[in-house]
Amino acid sequence: NIEEDNKKPKAPKPKKKKKKPMMKSFADFETVTEGSKHVPYLCAIVSRRFGKRVFKGWDCAKKMLDFLEDKYSRFNHTLIFHNAKYDFRAMVQELQINSYLTNGSAFITARGHYERISVTIKDSLKLINKPLSKFGKMFKLKQAKEVMPYDLYTRHNVDTKMVSIKDGLAHLKTDEH
C-alpha cells in the first residue's frame, strides 16, 4: 500500500522517569552549644523500614545521609523533625537545597538532594503545636520527665564520653538528684 509506505515512522515516546517511592522517617539531633552556635554531635532516626539508628560524632548529619544513600537510595526520603527549624540547621551544610518554604520566621519545609537521594524535611510542630513533653498525656503514652542539663554537654565532655558524678550532679537542680 503506497499510503503506508509514505508514512513516517513515529518517534518513540520518551520514557517517563519512574518516581521513587517515599520513605518517611522521624529524626532528631542533639547538639552542644558553643556561644550562640549549636553543633550537632548525635542524630537519631526511626523508620518502619529499618527501626532506630543512631549516628554519633561531629559529622553525624553526614553519617545519617550516607546511611540513607547507601542502603535506601531506591527511595526519596521525608525526614520529620519536631521543631525542624532547629534541626534543619544541622542538615543544611550537607544538602544541596532546591527549595525552602517559610511563613514569616516559621520553618515549614525544605527540599534538597544528597548524592542520589532526594530529601524533604518537614516539621511535626506545624501539625501538632505542642512540646514533646506533652505528647505522653495527649497520646496516652508512657513518658518520663526529661532531665537534660544542656550546659553539661560541651565539646570536651562529648569527646571524652564521660563526666564525673560530682560534675553531673552539679548541673542538676536539687530535686532532680
Side-chain angles (χ1 to χ4, degrees):
N1 185 338
I2 296 174
E3 227 173 88
E4 285 181 25
D5 291 339
N6 290 332
K7 285 186 181 178
K8 291 183 181 176
K10 290 185 179 180
K13 289 183 181 180
K15 289 185 179 181
K16 287 185 179 180
K17 200 172 188 181
K18 194 173 186 179
K19 191 173 181 181
K20 292 180 180 182
M22 183 62 65
M23 183 192 316
K24 290 182 184 175
S25 304
F26 295 88
D28 189 31
F29 282 97
E30 295 300 334
T31 65
V32 297
T33 306
E34 296 176 340
S36 62
K37 187 177 179 186
H38 293 254
V39 182
Y41 68 89
L42 183 141
C43 177
I45 183 170
V46 178
S47 171
R48 286 185 178 152
R49 190 161 300 273
F50 57 77
K52 181 172 117 178
R53 300 288 173 132
V54 176
F55 302 93
K56 298 175 185 175
W58 305 111
D59 60 347
C60 59
K62 181 177 181 348
K63 287 177 182 175
M64 185 223 5
L65 290 167
D66 283 341
F67 167 76
L68 294 175
E69 197 272 333
D70 183 47
K71 303 287 185 194
Y72 298 97
S73 62
R74 66 188 181 276
F75 294 95
N76 288 326
H77 295 271
T78 296
L79 302 177
I80 302 165
F81 295 91
H82 201 67
N83 191 12
K85 181 177 182 179
Y86 182 83
D87 299 275
F88 176 67
R89 288 185 245 157
M91 302 284 296
V92 72
Q93 293 180 355
E94 302 299 335
L95 292 174
Q96 183 178 22
I97 303 300
N98 299 336
S99 65
Y100 182 83
L101 180 63
T102 60
N103 184 2
S105 65
F107 175 92
I108 308 273
T109 188
R111 288 189 170 88
H113 283 84
Y114 180 81
E115 304 289 335
R116 300 175 291 164
I117 60 172
S118 172
V119 177
T120 300
I121 296 172
K122 293 193 174 203
D123 192 349
S124 64
L125 186 59
K126 300 300 174 268
L127 300 171
I128 305 169
N129 195 8
K130 297 284 182 196
L132 289 175
S133 61
K134 304 232 182 210
F135 276 33
K137 189 173 182 179
M138 285 173 42
F139 298 111
K140 296 179 175 62
L141 302 169
K142 283 185 178 180
Q143 189 173 17
K145 182 180 183 280
E146 180 184 76
V147 176
M148 187 72 173
Y150 290 106
D151 55 339
L152 185 64
Y153 284 81
T154 64
R155 188 177 284 269
H156 175 264
N157 289 347
V158 169
D159 284 340
T160 58
K161 297 181 174 91
M162 63 181 290
V163 295
S164 70
I165 292 174
K166 180 181 172 187
D167 287 344
L169 290 173
H171 286 84
L172 297 175
K173 297 175 190 167
T174 307
D175 65 337
E176 295 173 329
H177 288 213

